[in-house]
């Protein structure tokens, strides 16, 4: 028995020693320091820990205010070529691998008490504001956090590693504080520092729910900025190039819907010239895509017009004989689930 205990202790010592002396990264399992001939270019130097609170407050449309500890949650990595808007141009801050806690993990155990649940139960109209103590906030739709094809692409970073170019050896300034990191954003305007609170909200408006409308389509699509109609369309402008997206269509509730091909135009091609896109707009902007039957889904402005991955939703017009797609409809290309692919669309509103 004593011999077996000694052998277990020796094995434990060797395991711990290997993490120290072989430089094994406990989160990704990769070598922390890149050496000549290695193939992991995201670990060119040791990570730097960032200052961050140990817990975050969740409030809003929830079952009471809650505090969620960030200490024992799994870490995920997001690599970012970090650029922010600088007037009419872009300012490059560096390329980093950020490691931290995913927003989807933080929100996964939070019980939602949605204000609109009596007449509209699906959570697709939810969104969150992530706040810091400086009074800044960034807006995220519930769908881009929970329904995404990659739910671990939005994190609160707890560590940062520079991805150093091999020839120039250029090293950029590492941030000191924890921050929001969004792997899909072109301009990192939602990357606020020191997040401390998440507020859960739902879309507000004069929605009229009719689950079996006589006419499940609209002859006109209105683009609205606040209370002002900035444009309306009876069809999709012919100057916008049409794309085909083939997908495995799958609903959160109804499951497999078949292999489908959706044809339409990137929604940013229509919206970019009609809606504002300042630094603040990209950080806080919220969009409601609404249908004639009262169905609606929230989208952050950034996930529609500020993407770096080319996965903007498609705006479609009369692409099939399916009910609700005789006129305007949307296919949410970046989502795992079909629930934000809205049919019978008649309004797109910037809040």
């Amino acid at each position: 028995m004593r011999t077996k205990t000694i052998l277990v202790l020796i094995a434990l010592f060797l395991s711990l020693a290997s993490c120290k002396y072989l430089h094994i990264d406990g989160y990704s399992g990769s070598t922390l320091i890149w050496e000549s001939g290695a193939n992991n270019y995201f670990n060119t130097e040791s990570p730097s820990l960032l200052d961050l609170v140990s817990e975050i407050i969740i409030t809003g449309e929830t079952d009471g205010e809650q505090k969620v500890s960030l200490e024992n949650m799994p870490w995920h990595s997001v690599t970012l070529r970090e650029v922010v808007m600088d007037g009419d141009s872009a300012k490059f801050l560096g390329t980093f691998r950020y490691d931290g806690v995913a927003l989807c993990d933080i929100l996964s155990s939070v019980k939602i008490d949605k204000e609109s649940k009596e007449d509209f139960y699906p959570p697709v109209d939810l969104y969150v504001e992530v706040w810091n103590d400086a009074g800044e906030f960034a807006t995220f739709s519930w769908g881009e956090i929970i329904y995404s094809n990659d739910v671990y692409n939005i994190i609160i970073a707890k560590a940062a590693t520079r991805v150093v170019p091999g020839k120039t050896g250029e090293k950029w300034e590492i941030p000191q504080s924890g921050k929001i990191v969004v792997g899909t954003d072109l301009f990192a305007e939602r990357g606020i520092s020191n997040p401390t609170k998440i507020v859960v909200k739902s879309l507000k408006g004069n929605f009229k729910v009719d689950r079996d409308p006589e006419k499940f389509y609209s002859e006109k699509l209105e683009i609205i900025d606040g209370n002002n109609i900035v444009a309306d369309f009876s069809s999709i402008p012919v100057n916008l190039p049409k794309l085909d997206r083939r997908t495995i269509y799958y609903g959160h509730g109804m499951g497999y819907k078949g292999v489908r091909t959706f044809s339409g135009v990137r929604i940013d091609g229509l919206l970019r010239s009609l809606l504002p896109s300042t630094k603040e707009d990209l950080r806080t902007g919220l969009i409601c895509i609404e249908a004639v039957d009262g169905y609606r889904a929230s989208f952050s402005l950034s996930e529609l017009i500020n993407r770096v991955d080319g996965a903007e939703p498609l705006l479609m017009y009369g692409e099939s004989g399916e009910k609700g797609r005789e006129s305007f409809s949307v296919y949410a290309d970046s989502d795992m689930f079909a629930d934000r692919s809205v049919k019978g669309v008649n309004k797109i509103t910037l809040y």
Side-chain angles (χ1 to χ4, degrees):
M1 182 67 180
R2 185 177 177 184
T3 302
K4 189 175 292 185
T5 301
I6 292 172
L7 290 174
V8 169
L9 290 173
I10 291 173
L12 180 61
F13 171 78
L14 291 174
S15 298
L16 294 174
S18 67
C19 290
K20 179 178 180 181
Y21 296 109
L22 298 179
H23 306 294
I24 298 299
D25 177 354
Y27 296 109
S28 66
S30 59
T31 310
L32 281 180
I33 305 299
W34 182 87
E35 296 179 359
S36 179
N39 296 316
N40 192 336
Y41 302 114
F42 300 103
N43 294 325
T44 49
E45 59 181 20
S46 297
S48 298
L49 295 179
L50 309 177
D51 295 330
L52 187 66
V53 295
S54 60
E55 61 183 15
I56 195 163
I57 297 171
I58 314 292
T59 187
E61 296 181 33
T62 62
D63 188 14
E65 184 174 288
Q66 303 171 50
K67 292 183 178 179
V68 176
S69 173
L70 305 180
E71 292 297 294
N72 297 315
M73 285 192 173
W75 285 25
H76 302 278
S77 295
V78 175
T79 54
L80 200 66
R81 295 158 292 185
E82 197 161 359
V83 170
V84 294
M85 297 176 69
D86 186 17
D88 294 331
S89 60
K91 181 181 179 181
F92 181 60
L93 302 181
T95 300
F96 302 94
R97 188 197 79 196
Y98 286 106
D99 304 310
V101 179
L103 285 191
C104 70
D105 286 341
I106 296 172
L107 292 167
S108 64
S109 61
V110 174
K111 187 175 181 179
I112 302 300
D113 186 17
K114 193 161 76 91
E115 290 182 6
S116 59
K117 64 179 180 293
E118 295 302 325
D119 70 332
F120 189 70
Y121 185 77
V124 291
D125 64 334
L126 289 173
Y127 64 98
V128 305
E129 295 172 349
V130 183
W131 288 78
N132 62 17
D133 287 342
E136 301 171 311
F137 74 92
T139 299
F140 297 88
S141 69
W142 193 256
E144 68 179 312
I145 297 172
I146 303 296
Y147 285 1
S148 170
N149 282 319
D150 184 0
V151 293
Y152 301 122
N153 218 4
I154 306 173
I155 65 171
I156 298 179
K158 303 179 75 171
T161 306
R162 288 177 290 213
V163 181
V164 181
K167 290 187 177 181
T168 68
E170 185 177 4
K171 295 188 176 182
W172 308 278
E173 182 178 353
I174 295 176
Q176 299 300 307
S177 303
K179 59 187 291 186
I180 296 288
V181 174
V182 189
T184 55
D185 281 1
L186 177 63
F187 294 108
E189 305 303 337
R190 293 194 284 180
I192 63 171
S193 298
N194 296 312
T196 57
K197 180 175 67 174
I198 297 175
V199 183
V200 180
K201 297 182 177 183
S202 60
L203 294 170
K204 303 299 186 290
N206 186 27
F207 305 115
K208 297 178 181 179
V209 177
D210 180 0
R211 291 181 173 82
D212 189 23
E214 183 178 343
K215 188 177 73 171
F216 190 22
Y217 63 90
S218 175
E219 289 90 355
K220 183 171 64 174
L221 171 64
E222 295 180 340
I223 311 299
I224 304 171
D225 183 356
N227 295 318
N228 301 314
I229 299 175
V230 296
D232 61 66
F233 299 91
S234 57
S235 62
I236 294 176
V238 295
N239 62 308
L240 298 177
K242 185 176 286 190
L243 304 173
D244 292 336
R245 300 271 172 83
R246 197 168 190 224
T247 187
I248 300 170
Y249 208 41
Y250 189 89
H252 179 252
M254 299 301 292
Y256 180 63
K257 298 173 180 287
V259 176
R260 301 277 297 274
T261 298
F262 294 102
S263 299
V265 301
R266 283 176 30 165
I267 201 166
D268 62 317
L270 186 74
L271 299 181
R272 193 182 300 277
S273 62
L274 299 174
L275 299 178
S277 56
T278 66
K279 292 169 71 74
E280 183 176 0
D281 293 317
L282 295 183
R283 179 168 57 84
T284 65
L286 174 69
I287 292 283
C288 171
I289 297 183
E290 182 182 349
V292 295
D293 63 346
Y295 194 94
R296 63 267 190 186
S298 69
F299 291 81
S300 68
L301 181 62
S302 268
E303 71 174 310
L304 297 187
I305 69 170
N306 184 40
R307 301 190 74 99
V308 75
D309 60 356
E312 291 82 359
L314 290 185
L315 178 65
M316 303 177 292
Y317 184 90
E319 287 302 319
S320 72
E322 182 183 356
K323 186 177 180 181
R325 298 199 187 277
E326 300 95 330
S327 184
F328 295 99
S329 63
V330 165
Y331 166 59
D333 186 40
S334 63
D335 286 4
M336 168 71 181
F337 300 105
D339 300 56
R340 290 199 301 167
S341 294
V342 184
K343 296 184 287 187
V345 173
N346 64 337
K347 296 178 185 177
I348 298 177
T349 304
L350 174 65
Y351 278 48

